[in-house]
Amino acid sequence: MALGQQAMQRRGACRHAAHRRAAVVVRASAVASAPQQPATASTYVPRVQGPIIMNGQVLHSLTQERLDVVRSLEDGYLQTQVVPLLKPVEKCWQPADFLPPSEDPDFLDKVHQLRERAKNLPDDYLVVFVGDMITEEALPTYMTMLNTLDGVRDETGASQTPWAKWTREWTAEENRHGDIMNKYMYLTGRVNMKSIEVTIQNLIGSGMDPKTENNPYLGFLYTSFQERATKISHGNTARHALEYGDPILAKICGSIASDEGRHEIAYQKIMDGLFERDPDGAMLAFADMMRKQIVMPAHLMNDGEHEPRTGRNLFQDFSAVAEKTGTYTAMDYADIIDHLVVRWDVANRSGLNGNAAEAQEYVMKLPNRIRKLAEKAAARKAKGKIVHASFSWVFNREVALA
């Protein structure tokens, strides 16, 4: 999706680098000075005497004191506040609920009806929908990311800790999203499935780089933001599908958005607990992830064709189409930060230490800063010429980017 970070990148690059250098020093000091306590079988944290840096990034930045805060959520809070937001399997929709039953004698007639409904979906809609679908299909990467977080990972693959059960059952709910989107697009005949499948395989192989440092404070801040972003995007693809005359596709996208809304609340409740128990640490995490800028999970997507053919980055072009169609925009990015500021009562938190108070001030000012940058970027685009790019997902047809 278009992230707002595109509007901020040029102006924020130098400032961001300075913040990261300072953050590395602070975290390295905190990790090195943290008391080394034995790790339990379910919450392994490596013993370190100084900063762990790989590929220029800090790893395992969670201090022992904050690991204990995370562990404290497991005693009742997670079970009562978070886990109930999962739905029993028997109450969940399944992809088959929306698709023509392949066993029906009139299956081909129903597929024909589906194709007739999909005829009016324009190419820019298809590009955005397919980009969202590819994002959902890279689910193995997201489960892996959650299992990199210290103190909450599934240590055995079938651990019965609340954290591990949440991750597996969240993944199970999310798995339906890519399934239904993929099958529906295949039946429409409107998109190049081979190209899409190559993009999915490349994306899963490439992984993602959210810069969460194996730190659940940062990881759950990221998911709190990201789930709301996907809810907005799927909600808008639902609205657009209805406008283009496909109510079934609209219902599919709306059902996915509803799931994302529940998951958003769950992750924000985890951060609620961290803010309640450690307001300084939670505030620092909020500002840290905002300074890094939230990257979408599919930022490493690659179809093997787009860049060699067009000289352009596939994810950035997909994001530009999402911005142009109003599916997900820089303004949405700013609105999500505003929502989280209100959700976690950032403006009214007092008694924070110096660094956390500075982080509080930074976060409070950020949405308006993003909006101003987005407005300037929009004004520049309005004065420029219309840019197009061809997408392999729609058989190399050209789609307007701006």
Side-chain angles (χ1 to χ4, degrees):
M1 296 294 94
L3 298 177
Q5 76 261 35
Q6 292 178 7
M8 297 179 66
Q9 273 178 340
R10 292 189 181 90
R11 184 176 295 184
C14 294
R15 184 170 61 249
H16 173 62
H19 281 307
R20 292 295 298 137
R21 287 193 294 270
V24 167
V25 173
V26 170
R27 288 194 197 94
S29 174
V31 172
S33 63
Q36 299 300 316
Q37 299 180 10
T40 68
S42 64
T43 53
Y44 170 73
V45 176
R47 293 186 173 194
V48 294
Q49 299 302 322
I52 300 176
I53 300 177
M54 181 180 293
N55 298 329
Q57 291 191 44
V58 177
L59 305 182
H60 304 289
S61 62
L62 188 70
T63 64
Q64 182 63 50
E65 289 85 354
R66 289 191 169 130
L67 172 61
D68 291 340
V69 173
V70 172
R71 285 173 174 162
S72 73
L73 296 180
E74 198 169 327
D75 298 330
Y77 185 86
L78 208 66
Q79 291 284 28
T80 60
Q81 299 297 314
V82 178
V83 173
L85 288 162
L86 294 164
K87 293 179 73 171
V89 174
E90 62 274 13
K91 293 186 178 180
C92 285
W93 60 265
Q94 297 298 337
D97 297 332
F98 298 103
L99 298 170
S102 59
E103 69 275 14
D104 280 5
D106 60 349
F107 170 68
L108 293 179
D109 292 334
K110 291 177 178 176
V111 171
H112 176 73
Q113 293 169 10
L114 183 155
R115 288 182 170 225
E116 286 297 308
R117 290 195 306 270
K119 275 185 178 180
N120 293 326
L121 299 174
D123 285 341
D124 56 3
Y125 178 89
L126 293 173
V127 165
V128 174
F129 185 93
V130 167
D132 283 356
M133 179 183 83
I134 290 166
T135 302
E136 295 286 350
E137 288 279 55
L139 182 62
T141 297
Y142 317 143
M143 186 178 190
T144 299
M145 189 277 280
L146 289 175
N147 278 325
T148 68
L149 301 179
D150 292 328
V152 303
R153 66 174 61 90
D154 184 349
E155 295 287 358
T156 69
S159 171
Q160 294 304 299
T161 67
W163 290 113
K165 291 176 72 175
W166 162 263
T167 296
R168 292 196 303 271
E169 293 182 34
W170 169 84
T171 302
E173 288 195 355
E174 289 278 335
N175 188 62
R176 300 166 303 141
H177 300 171
D179 277 357
I180 180 60
M181 296 173 80
N182 193 309
K183 289 172 181 173
Y184 199 90
M185 279 294 107
Y186 171 76
L187 291 175
T188 68
R190 296 291 314 282
V191 296
N192 184 339
M193 290 304 300
K194 177 68 176 290
S195 173
I196 292 167
E197 289 157 0
V198 168
T199 311
I200 293 168
Q201 184 170 351
N202 281 335
L203 178 57
I204 295 173
S206 297
M208 64 182 290
D209 184 16
K211 298 180 175 62
T212 50
E213 304 177 4
N214 311 99
N215 186 327
Y217 280 67
L218 300 179
F220 293 132
L221 196 294
Y222 178 87
T223 53
S224 292
F225 188 106
Q226 180 57 39
E227 293 283 11
R228 188 168 182 85
T230 53
K231 179 185 75 172
I232 290 168
S233 181
H234 288 300
N236 283 325
T237 56
R239 177 171 56 84
H240 295 156
L242 196 59
E243 291 170 357
Y244 295 129
D246 194 335
I248 303 300
L249 186 56
K251 190 172 182 181
I252 288 170
C253 295
S255 298
I256 294 171
S258 179
D259 281 352
E260 305 291 11
R262 284 189 295 108
H263 298 161
E264 168 203 353
I265 293 170
Y267 287 117
Q268 290 172 15
K269 278 182 173 287
I270 292 173
M271 288 305 302
D272 290 347
L274 294 178
F275 266 104
E276 179 184 339
R277 291 161 173 77
D278 180 14
D280 288 335
M283 192 69 72
L284 289 168
F286 194 177
D288 190 15
M289 288 308 299
M290 293 302 99
R291 287 188 176 110
K292 291 171 181 174
Q293 301 166 13
I294 299 289
V295 296
M296 292 292 113
H299 63 282
L300 297 178
M301 66 167 53
N302 172 27
D303 64 354
E305 301 178 41
H306 193 84
E307 192 159 350
R309 186 179 65 250
T310 68
R312 303 176 62 86
N313 177 275
L314 176 57
F315 175 76
Q316 290 177 358
D317 281 355
F318 153 61
S319 299
V321 179
E323 176 97 28
K324 185 176 185 300
T325 58
T327 308
Y328 183 76
T329 71
M331 293 301 184
D332 291 321
Y333 188 96
D335 289 345
I336 294 171
I337 300 173
D338 263 340
H339 170 81
L340 296 177
V341 164
V342 173
R343 167 79 196 212
W344 296 321
D345 198 25
V346 170
N348 297 316
R349 291 190 178 274
S350 58
L352 299 172
N353 68 29
N355 289 334
E358 186 178 315
Q360 177 187 36
E361 183 178 1
Y362 169 78
V363 170
M364 291 291 296
K365 293 178 178 178
L366 187 58
N368 285 338
R369 186 182 306 167
I370 293 173
R371 290 188 182 101
K372 288 177 182 177
L373 291 172
E375 287 168 359
K376 291 179 180 178
R380 286 195 301 271
K381 287 179 182 178
K383 294 177 181 177
K385 64 179 182 179
I386 297 176
V387 178
H388 292 79
S390 61
F391 287 82
S392 65
W393 306 336
V394 290
F395 303 101
N396 293 323
R397 293 191 294 271
E398 287 199 341
V399 175
L401 306 180

